Amino acid sequence: MQANRPGLGGPIPRRARRTTRALLSPVALSVAVFLPAACAPGGGGASDAEFQGEPLPLLIERPDFTLTDTEGRPYSFLDETRGRVALLFFGYTWCPDICPIHMANIGQAMKSIPSEDRHRVEVVFVSTDPARDTPERIREWLDVFDPSFVGLRGTLEEVNRIQNQVGLPASLLDEPDEDGNYLVGHAASVLAFTADGPARLRYPFGTRQSAWAHDLPRLIEQR
C-alpha cells in the first residue's frame, strides 16, 4: 500500500507540495507546432467566439496512435474517438494540482450534459509518468472524477512522440528527492477535438468548471 497518494486525498510527498512545473516553452504557449504533418491551415472557424476555450492558431489533426488502456487492451485514439468530441490531456496521477483540478472540473461539467449526449464526449488521460502510474492507479484516480474517463499508458518515449505530434512539448522528469518522490513537467492544457476531426481549442490550467459547462454542449453540436 502506498503511503503517499496525491490527487486521491492522501498526503502529498514533501517535494510535490510545490506547484507542478508546467512546461511553458513557446511551443506550449501557442500549443500548435507549425508542421504540415500535424496541422491544417485555418483557424478554429467563425464560431470560435462562442467558446470560452482558447482558439488554436492552427487546427491540429486528430492523431493516430495506440496505447494501452487501464484494462490492458489496445486503445486506438483515432478509431475510438471518431465522430465524437475528444478531450485529450497528458498528465500524471501524482500531480498535486494541475491534473486533478482539470479532471475534477471536466468531471463536474460532464454531469451537466444530458445523459443521452454524454457518450458523444470521450475524455482521454495519457500518463506522463508510466513508472509510477500503474493501470490500477490510473483507474482508481480517474474514477474519482468520472468512471467513463479513459486512462492510457505507454513508454515515456511513446507518449512524448504523441505530444510532439499534437504540438505539445515533451514531458520532463525532475530529479527524485531523498524519498524517491519527483515531479513531472508537462503541458498544462487540454486539447479539444471536435466531432469532425481536428482540435480547434485548448483549455489551459485555470479553466473554470463553468467554462467547461458552457463549451461542452457547443463542442458536441459543432460540425
Side-chain angles (χ1 to χ4, degrees):
M1 180 175 180
Q2 296 170 341
N4 297 320
R5 302 173 64 79
L8 285 173
I12 296 173
R14 182 167 60 252
R15 185 178 177 88
R17 286 174 185 153
R18 58 185 174 87
T19 302
T20 296
R21 176 169 57 87
L23 298 180
L24 297 176
S25 66
V27 171
L29 289 171
S30 65
V31 175
V33 172
F34 302 117
L35 296 176
C39 306
S47 60
D48 281 347
E50 301 174 8
F51 295 95
Q52 295 185 17
E54 297 180 0
L56 292 169
L58 292 178
L59 303 184
I60 299 176
E61 294 302 329
R62 192 175 301 231
D64 184 4
F65 67 85
T66 300
L67 294 175
T68 304
D69 69 14
T70 53
E71 304 303 315
R73 299 172 298 207
Y75 179 98
S76 168
F77 181 79
L78 186 64
D79 293 339
E80 296 287 350
T81 66
R82 194 185 308 275
R84 292 193 285 169
V85 173
L87 305 181
L88 179 61
F89 180 63
F90 296 84
Y92 66 116
T93 69
W94 293 80
C95 177
D97 39 40
I98 293 172
C99 304
I101 290 173
H102 261 317
M103 294 294 100
N105 285 338
I106 296 172
Q108 286 300 312
M110 287 285 285
K111 295 178 182 178
S112 67
I113 300 174
S115 57
E116 62 270 20
D117 287 337
R118 289 179 194 168
H119 72 282
R120 298 170 67 185
V121 180
E122 187 90 314
V123 179
V124 179
F125 171 87
V126 179
S127 173
T128 59
D129 185 16
R132 293 183 296 180
D133 282 349
T134 64
E136 296 77 14
R137 164 81 186 183
I138 295 172
R139 186 70 269 153
E140 182 181 3
W141 187 79
L142 289 175
D143 284 350
V144 171
F145 311 114
D146 191 310
S148 73
F149 289 0
V150 174
L152 301 179
R153 292 177 77 249
T155 66
L156 187 57
E157 291 76 15
E158 288 175 315
V159 171
N160 280 338
R161 280 197 297 270
I162 297 164
Q163 291 187 95
N164 180 70
Q165 188 179 351
V166 296
L168 297 177
S171 297
L172 301 173
L173 277 59
D174 281 355
E175 289 295 325
D177 64 15
E178 62 274 16
D179 298 320
N181 300 313
Y182 56 88
L183 296 177
V184 180
H186 63 93
S189 294
V190 178
L191 296 180
F193 294 83
T194 49
D196 61 348
R200 303 173 183 275
L201 301 162
R202 79 173 186 117
Y203 292 82
F205 181 58
T207 299
R208 295 181 179 275
Q209 179 185 321
S210 59
W212 283 112
H214 175 275
D215 281 13
L216 282 176
R218 290 162 175 79
L219 286 167
I220 291 171
E221 294 167 3
Q222 187 172 33
R223 289 289 185 274

